[in-house]
Structures are given as C-alpha cells and as structure tokens.
C-alpha cells in the first residue's frame, strides 16, 4: 500500500493502491505513518517526497471501506487519518508533495499538509465534501495556513475544481511542473532542501510550526462534530445511502 525508497539524501514515499486510486484506508494510513516516521528517523535522509502511484496522487478517503461503518465509527476512522496528516507538520524533516492526476477530498488535504507542494499543471484539485452534504472532517487548518480563510472557504465549498496552475496562483501549490514532471520537480526541490544545514532546516520548521499548525487538533475535533451533525441531514443521508453507511 505504501512504497519507500531513497535517492541520495531524499526519501520517496509513494501511496501505492492504484486499484483504489490511492484512497486513504485504515491500513494504508498506518503504513504511511510508519514510512514517514522511518524516513524522519533515518540519519541519512534529509528531505522526504510524498507522491502517489499512477494514475493520481490520491482520490481521498476509501469510501468502499467507510461504507460499512456507522457515522460514529466513520468519525473515529477519519480521526486516525487526521492524526497521520497532522504528524507531517511535526516531523523534523521537510516533506514535499508531488501531485499528478488528481488530489481529491482527503487527498487534497493530505497534499497541502506537506511543507512544500509541487503540482502538475494539469492536475485536478477538488474538495467535494460539501457537495456530498458535509464539512470536510479534518485538515482544514492546513488549507487555512496556505490560502487564508476567505479562499479556504471558497475551496471548501468546492463549487468547481481547479487545475495546477490555479492551485499555484491561489497558494495551494508552491511550484508547478509539466504533466508527468511533478515528481522530478519535487525531487529537485527536496534535494535543494537536503543540501542545507539540517539543524537550521529543522529549526526553521519548528519556528513556523505554531503558525502553520496553529489550532489544528482542536479544529479537527470541531470539524468532526460538525461532520457527524451534517451526516444526519437529508442531502448527506442520500449520499451515504449510496455507500450503505449506517447512521
């Protein structure tokens, strides 16, 4: 579900569930957490790249897995995913996301939870949760830190998707690359960071941590409560019925 390799002083962590479009399930998130922690603990690694196996970065939560859960159990499942995403901000090494294809829902939020984001110009970014009838259940602080509250609100409403060029303009992404080139560009960025004095890189991440992470855990808890309440609405129930989620 997750592959890890190293190229020089850069670790590449790859979501590898192509058949499920790299969806975020219980086991894959646990594997991702272990891979990130291992890379952070490896003294030979100075930067990490997070990417997805083709055809995309990540399609979001694994609805097939969630389909058999009650709403409270679904909240518990998403809380575990939220913890993994938040942990990226507390690693000692910079994490660079390389986004190809699409980053949808939780995949969008996982990408923006990274320290640096590289997007293919034609990548599709979209938060569809509100369309489904509920607030995204975790990670909105990461989006707020990148684009501010007004743009974060607009993106969360998810009226339309954006491409990599628009993601760059809005601040969702930090760099763009031609289609198929996001990983190479992300590696170049990571290699540049890896050449810097590691202690100073970590100190920089730690200094900005309160501004980037802010109140992330509390806000995730707030969002989870709102999500559970939203799931009782008629529009959400209609969506959940398609995945046989029990209320």
């Amino acid at each position: 579900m997750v592959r890890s390799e190293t190229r020089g002083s850069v670790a590449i962590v790859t979501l590898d569930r192509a058949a499920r479009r790299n969806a975020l399930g219980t086991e894959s998130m646990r594997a991702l957490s272990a891979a990130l922690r291992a890379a952070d603990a490896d003294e030979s690694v100075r930067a990490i790249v997070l990417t997805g196996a083709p055809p995309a970065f990540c399609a979001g939560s694994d609805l097939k897995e969630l389909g058999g859960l009650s709403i409270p159990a679904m909240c518990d499942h998403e809380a575990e995913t939220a913890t993994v995403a938040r942990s990226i901000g507390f690693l000692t090494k910079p994490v660079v996301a390389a986004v190809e294809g699409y980053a949808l829902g939780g995949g969008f939020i996982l990408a923006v939870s990274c320290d640096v984001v590289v997007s293919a110009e034609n990548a599709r970014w979209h938060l569809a949760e509100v369309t489904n009838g509920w607030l995204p259940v975790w990670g909105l602080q990461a989006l707020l830190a990148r684009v501010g509250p007004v743009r974060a609100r607009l993106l969360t409403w998810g009226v339309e998707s954006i491409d990599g060029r628009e993601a760059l303009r809005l601040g969702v992404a930090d760099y763009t690359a031609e289609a198929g080139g996001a990983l190479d560009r992300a590696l170049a960025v990571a290699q540049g960071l890896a050449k810097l004095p590691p202690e100073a890189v970590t100190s920089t991440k730690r200094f900005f941590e309160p501004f980037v992470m802010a109140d992330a855990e509390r806000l995730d808890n707030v969002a989870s409560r709102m999500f559970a309440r939203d799931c009782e609405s008629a529009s959400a129930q209609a969506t959940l019925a398609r995945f046989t989620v029990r209320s």
Side-chain angles (χ1 to χ4, degrees), residues 39-106:
D40 201 48
D42 188 337
E43 293 184 359
S44 70
V45 169
R46 294 195 174 182
I48 302 165
V49 170
L50 176 61
T51 191
F57 180 74
C58 177
S61 295
D62 189 339
L63 295 178
K64 185 175 181 180
E65 179 177 341
L66 293 178
L69 301 178
S70 66
I71 291 171
M74 197 158 51
C75 289
D76 290 342
H77 174 282
E78 294 296 293
E80 187 172 348
T81 300
T83 299
V84 177
R86 285 197 309 271
S87 74
I88 293 172
F90 297 112
L91 299 178
T92 63
K93 296 162 186 176
V95 180
V96 183
V99 177
E100 291 278 358
Y102 43 79
L104 309 179

Side-chain angles (χ1 to χ4, degrees), residues 4-12 42 44-45:
S4 297
E5 62 177 297
T6 57
R7 296 189 191 178
S9 54
V10 176
I12 303 172
D42 188 337
S44 70
V45 169

Side-chain angles (χ1 to χ4, degrees), residues 148-184:
V150 173
R151 283 179 170 172
R153 181 179 60 193
L154 181 61
L155 289 165
T156 302
W157 276 330
V159 175
E160 56 188 9
S161 61
I162 61 173
D163 64 13
R165 296 182 186 90
E166 183 68 355
L168 178 66
R169 188 185 75 82
L170 294 176
V172 171
D174 302 297
Y175 301 92
T176 57
E178 293 183 357
L183 179 57
D184 287 343

Side-chain angles (χ1 to χ4, degrees), residues 8-23:
S9 54
V10 176
I12 303 172
V13 176
T14 304
L15 301 172
D16 193 12
R17 299 183 72 200
R20 298 292 303 143
R21 302 186 299 166
N22 300 326

